Amino acid sequence: AASTASSNVTALTARSAVSINSSSWIVDSGASWHMTGDPKLYSRGYKPFAIPRPVEIADGTVLQGHGDGPVRLFTGGKYGEFTINSVLYVPGLATNLLSVSQLEDRDISTVSGDSMIKLVRGDQLIAVAHRLGGAYVLSSASGAPEYGLSAQASKAPSPVKNAQEAE
């Protein structure tokens, strides 16, 4: 991965010939932060940054991170749901990213093999991401890649929108 200044956040995602739904989550070893471009995924706890943070994506484009907050992920069935804290809001980001390093910092291990990555906390399986082209896409409990919603948009007004209006 490319080295960047300490104030920069990097997202080096795998390129894939397979189309991945923009609401899916990709487990990404090149991302330095969990990220989404969808402001509707924040239901509470969103904190705008006083100064946006630069985010360099795989093609070298620099986007701006405007704030962060928790996002609840729904993996269905036996895996249920879990909350990922400190998800960076990056307008213009084409897909949602789960940072492997950020997961590990929160005591969630990644175990890879057989074209999948398992997310594990202690002895509990939290979620599974299956390989789809060159990316690992968070899967539903059925084991199929999650092409529908894997994070639920809040029915309440987006705190991101409210924060931007207040600026």
Side-chain angles (χ1 to χ4, degrees):
S3 175
T4 60
S6 62
S7 63
N8 287 1
V9 177
T10 305
L12 300 175
T13 60
R15 291 184 182 256
S16 175
V18 178
S19 178
I20 297 172
N21 187 313
S22 64
S23 66
S24 295
W25 286 81
I26 295 175
V27 178
D28 189 349
S29 63
S32 58
W33 207 264
H34 306 306
M35 300 181 217
T36 184
D38 187 351
K40 297 178 196 137
L41 298 182
Y42 300 96
S43 59
R44 58 173 175 72
Y46 175 80
K47 295 173 284 204
F49 298 143
I51 300 171
R53 297 179 184 172
V55 177
E56 182 178 353
I57 60 175
D59 68 0
T61 301
V62 177
L63 302 174
Q64 298 296 314
H66 288 262
D68 69 7
V71 170
R72 178 158 281 172
L73 300 181
F74 299 88
T75 57
K78 64 184 177 183
Y79 304 138
E81 60 186 67
F82 62 102
T83 299
I84 297 294
N85 293 310
S86 302
V87 178
L88 188 62
Y89 172 54
V90 183
L93 190 66
T95 191
N96 303 308
L97 304 176
L98 286 177
S99 163
V100 170
S101 61
Q102 288 290 301
L103 291 169
E104 290 175 348
D105 288 348
R106 290 168 176 84
D107 297 322
I108 298 174
S109 300
T110 55
V111 180
S112 61
D114 297 326
S115 295
M116 70 177 79
I117 295 176
K118 296 177 183 176
L119 305 183
V120 179
R121 178 179 281 140
D123 62 355
Q124 180 183 7
L125 179 63
I126 296 173
V128 176
H130 284 89
R131 186 170 179 171
L132 188 61
Y136 287 89
V137 181
L138 192 67
S139 302
S140 66
S142 68
E146 184 64 64
Y147 297 107
L149 285 178
S150 53
Q152 184 174 352
S154 171
K155 291 182 173 73
S158 170
V160 174
K161 182 178 178 192
N162 295 340
Q164 289 173 340
E165 289 172 354
E167 293 178 348

